[in-house]
Every structure is written in structure tokens, then in C-alpha cells.
């Protein structure tokens, strides 16, 4: 499986999703390729937000070597599943990819946890530390679902 996690800045939510899923895939012995990207490009080249790094580290996952990059339309050629952290992210992916947008590959991330409900991962960027802990838990639960769903493919 080749999976891309996408949020707006690629510094808060999708780096956690990348780090958590990589960690779980490794524990399961799965040779998956997992990356993350952001639609807005404001933070290209930056490490994840220090609070995303902190909650990951508290959960024994190291994401400090990740660097933000911008989502591109060619990502639809290179990945099997592209998970949008929120509905505004999915809209931006559509706007960037245009005719390359593939609805069979693009999915709201939380639909793997709560199918068909079209929920978004809250953006912790605007708030204090507890928001990052909540987001970690939500992303971790969803990554468990993704592993169970695709580990035999
Ligand atoms: P993220 O959070 O999409 O989870 O990385 C954000 C980080 C930065 C901005 C927006 C969201 N920003 O506009 O700079």
C-alpha cells in the first residue's frame, strides 16, 4: 500500500497521521510506503509543530525528521489512497489536482473510523496542547482501522 496523508499546513495533523501509521505498519511487518503533504504550502520545509512532535514523542513515535511539502496533482499517480484530514482539505486537493483528482483514491480520513459520516479531524493549530492530544487519539484509532482493513492486501 502507498498512502498519503494530507492536511492544510502539513505541520500538525498529517505528520502525526504519517508517523502513527508508519509506526503501526512497521510493527505489523507491512512494507507500506507512507508520506504526508499539505495543500497550502505555507510551511514547506518546516519540521512538524512542536506540540505534534511532543505528543508523538510521549507515545514513543519520533516525527522530528519529517519536513513539510506541498501536495501536488501528481500525488494521484504515486499513491493508492490519499486521505484528507478534513473536508476543506479534500476540496483543496480537488482544486489542485483538477482532472487528476480520483474519487476512488481520495477519502476523508475519518470515514475509515466512522464510515459514511464525513467527519473532519479538528485542526489543533489554533488551540492549546490538549487539542493535540485529542487529535493524536483520533488519528491513532483511525490508523488501527486502516491497518486492519488493508493489511491482507
Ligand atoms: P495542519 O494545521 O493543516 O494540521 O498542519 C495547520 C497549520 C498551519 C496552518 C493551517 C493549518 N496555516 O494556515 O498556517
Amino acid at each position: 500500500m502507498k498512502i498519503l496523508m494530507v492536511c492544510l499546513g502539513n505541520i500538525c495533523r498529517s505528520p502525526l497521521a504519517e508517523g502513527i501509521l508508519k509506526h503501526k505498519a512497521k510493527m505489523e511487518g507491512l512494507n507500506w510506503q507512507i508520506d504526508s503533504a499539505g495543500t497550502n504550502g505555507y510551511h514547506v520545509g518546516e519540521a512538524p509543530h512542536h506540540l505534534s512532535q511532543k505528543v508523538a514523542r510521549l507515545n514513543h513515535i519520533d516525527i522530528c525528521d519529517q519536513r513539510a511539502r506541498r501536495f501536488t496533482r501528481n500525488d494521484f499517480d504515486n499513491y493508492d489512497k490519499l486521505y484528507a484530514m478534513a473536508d476543506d482539505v479534500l476540496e483543496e486537493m480537488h482544486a489542485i489536482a483538477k482532472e487528476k483528482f480520483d474519487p476512488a483514491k481520495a477519502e476523508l480520513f475519518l470515514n475509515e473510523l466512522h464510515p459514511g459520516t464525513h467527519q473532519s479531524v479538528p485542526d489543533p493549530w489554533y488551540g492549546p496542547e490538549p487539542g493535540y492530544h485529542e487529535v493524536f487519539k483520533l488519528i491513532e484509532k483511525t490508523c488501527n482501522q486502516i491497518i486492519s482493513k488493508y493489511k491482507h492486501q
Side-chain angles (χ1 to χ4, degrees):
M1 286 291 288
K2 294 182 189 169
I3 295 178
L4 185 69
M5 303 295 192
V6 189
C7 64
L8 295 174
N10 193 206
I11 55 166
C12 299
R13 292 165 292 181
S14 62
L16 280 174
E18 175 189 340
I20 293 168
L21 192 63
K22 271 185 177 162
H23 177 75
K24 290 181 183 291
K26 194 174 171 193
M27 302 281 277
E28 292 279 339
L30 298 166
N31 186 26
W32 288 5
Q33 185 184 318
I34 301 152
D35 193 13
S36 63
T39 52
N40 74 18
Y42 297 164
H43 297 274
V44 167
E46 292 179 24
H49 190 281
H50 70 97
L51 290 173
S52 286
Q53 291 194 42
K54 180 178 175 182
V55 291
R57 196 166 57 243
L58 289 171
N59 288 278
H60 315 290
I61 296 172
D62 184 356
I63 62 169
C64 73
D65 287 336
Q66 291 185 27
R67 292 295 176 268
R69 73 161 175 94
R70 189 153 193 221
F71 170 77
T72 76
R73 58 210 303 274
N74 293 332
D75 285 320
F76 273 99
D77 296 328
N78 299 331
Y79 293 91
D80 304 310
K81 290 295 293 184
L82 296 87
Y83 288 116
M85 292 295 124
D87 51 6
D88 55 347
V89 176
L90 193 60
E91 280 170 25
E92 284 298 311
M93 287 166 68
H94 211 152
I96 292 167
K98 299 190 180 71
E99 74 281 358
K100 281 206 166 195
F101 184 89
D102 182 349
K105 290 185 171 186
E107 177 70 282
L108 268 178
F109 179 71
L110 287 184
N111 274 347
E112 295 289 13
L113 184 65
H114 302 299
T117 58
H118 308 297
Q119 295 177 51
S120 295
V121 177
D123 193 345
W125 167 251
Y126 304 97
E129 181 167 335
Y132 288 79
H133 291 268
E134 285 306 309
V135 160
F136 184 96
K137 281 189 247 166
L138 198 53
I139 292 176
E140 184 178 39
K141 274 196 233 167
T142 309
C143 286
N144 287 337
Q145 288 297 118
I146 292 170
I147 293 273
S148 323
K149 185 170 172 183
Y150 292 107
K151 71 177 172 185
H152 296 303
Q153 289 207 354

